[in-house]
Amino acid sequence: GENVEQHPSTLSVQEGDSAVIKCTYSDSASNYFPWYKQELGKRPQLIIDIRSNVGEKKDQRIAVTLNKTAKHFSLHITETQPEDSAVYFCAARASGYSTLTFGKGTMLLVSP
Amino acid sequence: EAGVTQFPSHSVIEKGQTVTLRCDPISGHDNLYWYRRVMGKEIKFLLHFVKESKQDESGMPNNRFLAERTGGTYSTLKVQPAELEDSGVYFCASSSGFVGTYEQYFGPGTRLTVT
């Protein structure tokens, strides 16, 4: 089955810096890669996703890149703000399936 | 539109007891999923309903776990008897449309502590 590795497990940055979280996946059939943000005490919420026919996707300060050959994808947050502090999960899903396979999460702390 | 709701938000039970978790998906969502996150580990898939039918239950850890979705609306996940390793946060998620094509919306989770 699919296996998703996520790094780092914790990431501390200063406000205004950029943050990068990286994930690798094992199943070449995976074609959908969402990123979820979970603030303390709240539910995981989808912040951005990418499909395998696209190499990069941007939404304001967040972007995701995908390298299908290397089987890795990354989340980039620019101009970080304290409200970006949360646990971020990457996930992968194969075509025709519903199961999301998640990474272990990255706790991002943005200090003012 | 109301989001996915889960009850209770937190449950503390002793080993050997029974607990039932409930999930109410977004109205009209045929797909309902259960996931679990054990402390510090990944969110792990448990099972998937399409309406009242179990589409995929490959992630259910053992036969102490029983999930139902009678009538295709809310779902329950029963753990009987509970063991220490069952502690974790149980998430429910729902989605509309065809399998594998739509965003999954998560509930706030139920934190289960087995002592």
Side-chain angles (χ1 to χ4, degrees):
Chain A
E2 175 68 278
N3 182 52
V4 176
E5 298 285 339
Q6 182 172 349
H7 298 280
S9 55
T10 58
L11 180 58
S12 293
V13 300
Q14 291 291 121
E15 183 176 1
D17 287 350
S18 294
V20 181
I21 302 170
K22 299 181 178 182
C23 290
T24 60
Y25 62 98
S26 61
D27 188 352
S28 56
S30 289
N31 66 352
Y32 173 67
F33 307 92
W35 286 87
Y36 283 82
K37 174 184 179 182
Q38 186 181 18
E39 296 177 66
L40 189 63
K42 297 191 176 181
R43 68 192 68 206
Q45 288 197 300
L46 180 72
I47 55 170
I48 196 168
D49 56 14
I50 191 167
R51 298 185 188 274
S52 59
N53 58 348
V54 174
E56 183 175 0
K57 185 176 178 180
K58 230 176 175 180
D59 183 3
Q60 299 182 337
R61 295 187 298 107
I62 60 173
V64 57
T65 58
L66 171 64
N67 183 326
K68 283 191 296 182
T69 304
K71 289 192 260 185
H72 66 70
F73 56 112
S74 300
L75 178 71
H76 305 252
I77 306 174
T78 58
E79 300 170 30
T80 54
Q81 300 166 3
E83 51 265 39
D84 294 330
S85 296
V87 179
Y88 291 80
F89 294 95
C90 64
R93 186 176 70 199
S95 174
Y97 292 88
S98 283
T99 305
L100 287 175
T101 301
F102 285 87
K104 290 186 179 180
T106 295
M107 180 175 293
L108 174 64
L109 178 62
V110 181
S111 303
Chain B
E1 170 182 89
V4 177
T5 59
Q6 292 186 245
F7 183 83
S9 57
H10 194 176
S11 180
V12 181
I13 61 172
E14 292 183 354
K15 177 183 170 179
Q17 290 186 321
T18 298
V19 63
T20 300
L21 315 180
R22 173 172 170 144
C23 168
D24 286 77
I26 293 172
S27 178
H29 280 192
D30 288 339
N31 297 286
L32 187 149
Y33 313 84
W34 283 99
Y35 293 89
R36 175 174 73 174
R37 187 183 190 212
V38 173
M39 177 76 80
K41 299 203 171 182
E42 70 272 25
I43 299 173
K44 212 162 184 181
F45 169 78
L46 296 179
L47 90 160
H48 168 216
F49 284 100
V50 177
K51 298 185 181 178
E52 67 276 9
S53 300
K54 291 176 184 174
Q55 181 78 11
D56 181 355
E57 52 185 328
S58 61
M60 294 287 263
N62 51 62
N63 59 10
R64 295 185 294 103
F65 289 75
L66 175 64
E68 295 180 322
R69 192 183 182 195
T70 308
T73 54
Y74 71 91
S75 174
T76 58
L77 179 65
K78 181 192 283 189
V79 185
Q80 178 183 30
E83 297 289 344
L84 298 178
E85 64 264 24
D86 300 332
S87 295
V89 180
Y90 290 76
F91 291 105
C92 174
S94 72
S95 71
S96 64
F98 294 110
V99 166
T101 60
Y102 287 84
E103 175 185 350
Q104 294 184 22
Y105 295 85
F106 277 75
T110 294
R111 181 175 296 277
L112 174 65
T113 303
V114 182
T115 63

